[in-house]
Amino acid sequence: AVDMSRPVLRKCKVEVDDKYIKFISVDGYTGTIYTHEHKQENVEKFDFLVDCFLVDVDKDWINRITIEKDDDCVKFSYTDNNKNIIERIIENCEWNYINYKNIFEDKNSEDTINVLVSVEKLKRVLRSYSGNCKNVRLIVNKNSIKPVFLESGENVTGVVESILLPLREFKDEE
């Protein structure tokens, strides 16, 4: 979120347990959970809120994170691509975060259709909706191997329609 009317949504929630570290952000319109397995042993479960900041490292950055918690604060440190140690001291925050688990639990319901598409192709299709187009309608067929249809929202002069074919995962017959 960009305004202070919902300050908790300007934060990223970080959850650490004995096996995973999760970064959760919800801004009122979108939500993202990034889950990664960590290599620490005997970790006590804890969570904290942090102001979002850019971690300027390569794809293996998660393996170079250290998070330590005490009664007053959380120390978040990592090694960047130039081998500099970047450290942030984060005050323990008592704000209640949005119940994101209720939002994301529907993705596994029986009514959900899972369609796997290429991120690059999806970005290319969405970039083609330029000009006055502020909204795009997604139309997903109940058959997950059918294409995803996209069409321009109502604020556009003229209609733009596209299809995006799903990636198909073929399994070897046994």
Side-chain angles (χ1 to χ4, degrees):
V2 294
D3 61 57
M4 285 304 290
S5 64
R6 299 169 294 176
V8 72
L9 297 185
R10 295 174 57 111
K11 305 272 185 189
C12 176
K13 182 172 186 176
V14 181
E15 295 179 348
V16 181
D17 65 22
D18 59 342
K19 191 171 182 177
Y20 297 101
I21 180 171
K22 286 184 182 179
F23 298 88
I24 301 107
S25 72
V26 178
D27 70 4
Y29 299 98
T30 61
T32 302
I33 301 173
Y34 176 71
T35 303
H36 199 287
E37 194 169 1
H38 64 69
K39 296 177 172 68
Q40 286 296 114
E41 294 181 9
N42 303 321
V43 173
E44 246 182 75
K45 184 177 178 179
F46 68 95
D47 59 78
F48 60 95
L49 297 179
V50 60
D51 289 317
C52 296
F53 61 93
L54 181 64
V55 178
D56 187 22
V57 291
D58 61 26
K59 65 181 180 178
D60 294 323
W61 71 276
I62 196 80
N63 298 321
R64 298 194 307 265
I65 286 181
T66 303
I67 300 175
E68 299 169 344
K69 183 179 190 296
D70 63 25
D71 291 338
D72 299 322
C73 63
V74 173
K75 185 168 87 172
F76 183 100
S77 59
Y78 63 93
T79 307
D80 69 10
N81 292 334
N82 296 323
K83 304 214 182 324
N84 298 316
I85 295 175
I86 311 298
E87 185 174 279
R88 288 189 177 237
I89 305 297
I90 302 158
E91 183 181 352
N92 282 343
C93 183
E94 297 299 321
W95 290 352
N96 288 323
Y97 199 69
I98 187 170
N99 190 348
Y100 72 91
K101 291 177 184 172
N102 283 348
I103 298 169
F104 280 88
E105 74 181 5
D106 280 348
K107 74 181 179 84
N108 297 320
S109 78
E110 293 176 6
D111 298 326
T112 304
I113 299 166
N114 290 304
V115 181
L116 182 66
V117 296
S118 161
V119 172
E120 286 303 315
K121 289 184 173 131
L122 178 60
K123 284 196 285 189
R124 192 175 329 139
V125 169
L126 290 174
R127 273 196 301 266
S128 71
Y129 288 82
S130 58
N132 295 331
C133 187
K134 302 284 187 236
N135 301 300
V136 175
R137 184 175 294 109
L138 297 176
I139 304 157
V140 180
N141 192 296
K142 290 181 181 176
N143 181 340
S144 64
I145 64 168
K146 296 277 187 175
V148 176
F149 293 90
L150 294 93
E151 62 184 36
S152 55
E154 296 177 14
N155 297 337
V156 177
T157 54
V159 176
V160 180
E161 294 180 286
S162 304
I163 65 167
L164 186 63
L165 296 175
L167 299 174
R168 290 168 173 78
E169 295 180 12
F170 295 102
K171 296 180 181 173
D172 293 333
E173 291 183 21
E174 295 179 36

